[in-house]
Amino acid sequence: VFENALPVVDLGADDAYCAGTPYSNVLDAGNSGSTYLWNDNTSNQTLNVTASGTYSVTVTDGNGCVNADTITVVENALPIITVTQNGNELTADESATGTTYLWIDCDNNNTPVIGQIHQQFTPTQNGNYAVVVTTQGGCSDTSACIPVTNVGVNENVVIHGVTIYPNPTSGSITVNTDKIYENLTVKISDVSGKVLSIETVQNTQKVLVNMNGSKGVYFVHIYTDKEMLSVQRVIKD
């Protein structure tokens, strides 16, 4: 008397995909030469799956031994994104566990805003901004672009050990950070958000910047490859 082993049937781990994304997965019951019965009553060795659901197969090998397996495919919903605006502060209302955020500049080809990866974002210059929200399941969507038009001339944000002097200035300023950065960028913009100059220096904590514009109020943005360090108001007299 011989005891024949059962056929090994493994359709793989349960799977998931994001709504609106085409899905295709070929399930293979293996055990070539056996007979097959899928839950949709087809009898091939493989089954092409293109939608969510539960899929199962029963395999009968040449010895009459039977085994089965089941796999579940889930369609994950995209995040439903609304952005609340309170003054200049923008807040993504989606806050489920594991959610991540990336704020982008709609006026600059949807370029990510450096360091802005939190649920709240306060722009430092006027423009249109949106947020890319990614759920814990890996599904992403992008909000509508939100106009910000009232960035005030009195705002200083995100200091991070940065000093700028002299302020007011008659022609140039010195930007001093509390440590040396591999890449340090200084951007000058006017109160309308227009960028007047951008300068990047390496391996330093002090930058001399010429203020070439006319008399008035300017914003000095200081950032690294990874984060925004400071945005400060400077007056040229």
Side-chain angles (χ1 to χ4, degrees):
V1 177
F2 295 97
E3 180 181 69
N4 293 315
L6 296 177
V8 176
V9 184
D10 183 7
L11 298 179
D14 290 345
D15 203 4
Y17 65 98
C18 300
T21 302
Y23 178 80
S24 181
N25 185 17
V26 178
L27 303 179
D28 191 341
N31 302 282
S32 179
S34 300
T35 59
Y36 308 90
L37 181 61
W38 294 87
N39 60 296
D40 65 350
N41 291 318
T42 58
S43 56
N44 298 317
Q45 181 179 327
T46 60
L47 179 69
N48 186 28
V49 172
T50 59
S52 60
T54 299
Y55 301 89
S56 61
V57 65
T58 301
V59 177
T60 304
D61 67 14
N63 297 314
C65 298
V66 179
N67 206 354
D69 194 25
T70 299
I71 185 174
T72 299
V73 178
V74 175
E75 180 183 82
N76 289 327
L78 297 180
I80 299 173
I81 311 171
T82 57
V83 176
T84 300
Q85 185 172 12
N86 182 15
N88 294 331
E89 183 182 73
L90 305 178
T91 301
D93 292 339
E94 173 62 53
S95 59
T97 301
T99 300
T100 63
Y101 310 90
L102 178 64
W103 292 91
I104 58 176
D105 184 348
C106 301
D107 297 333
N108 192 23
N109 296 319
N110 294 334
T111 300
V113 181
I114 294 175
Q116 299 305 321
I117 56 173
H118 304 290
Q119 189 174 358
Q120 286 83 29
F121 166 50
T122 302
T124 59
Q125 62 186 50
N126 294 323
N128 293 279
Y129 300 92
V131 62
V132 180
V133 175
T134 303
T135 66
Q136 190 173 36
C139 297
S140 298
D141 204 1
T142 304
S143 73
C145 295
I146 307 298
V148 175
T149 59
N150 58 344
V151 173
V153 297
N154 294 318
E155 294 186 50
N156 290 333
V157 298
V158 204
I159 300 302
H160 282 325
V162 177
T163 56
I164 297 176
Y165 57 89
N167 186 15
T169 179
S170 60
S172 65
I173 57 172
T174 297
V175 176
N176 196 51
T177 62
D178 59 356
K179 64 180 180 180
I180 294 174
Y181 289 95
E182 183 177 354
N183 290 291
L184 186 65
T185 298
V186 178
K187 180 176 73 173
I188 308 295
S189 64
D190 62 20
V191 293
S192 72
K194 180 181 178 181
V195 176
L196 304 178
S197 67
I198 299 178
E199 180 180 357
T200 300
V201 294
Q202 286 76 39
N203 300 313
T204 188
Q205 64 185 103
K206 183 178 290 186
V207 186
L208 179 64
V209 181
N210 291 319
M211 302 284 291
N212 295 321
S214 58
K215 293 180 180 181
V217 176
Y218 297 89
F219 285 109
V220 181
H221 311 246
I222 303 98
Y223 54 91
T224 70
D225 293 336
K226 297 180 180 179
E227 64 177 333
M228 178 70 73
L229 297 179
S230 179
V231 180
Q232 297 189 37
R233 180 175 61 93
V234 172
I235 297 173
K236 184 176 181 182
D237 57 16

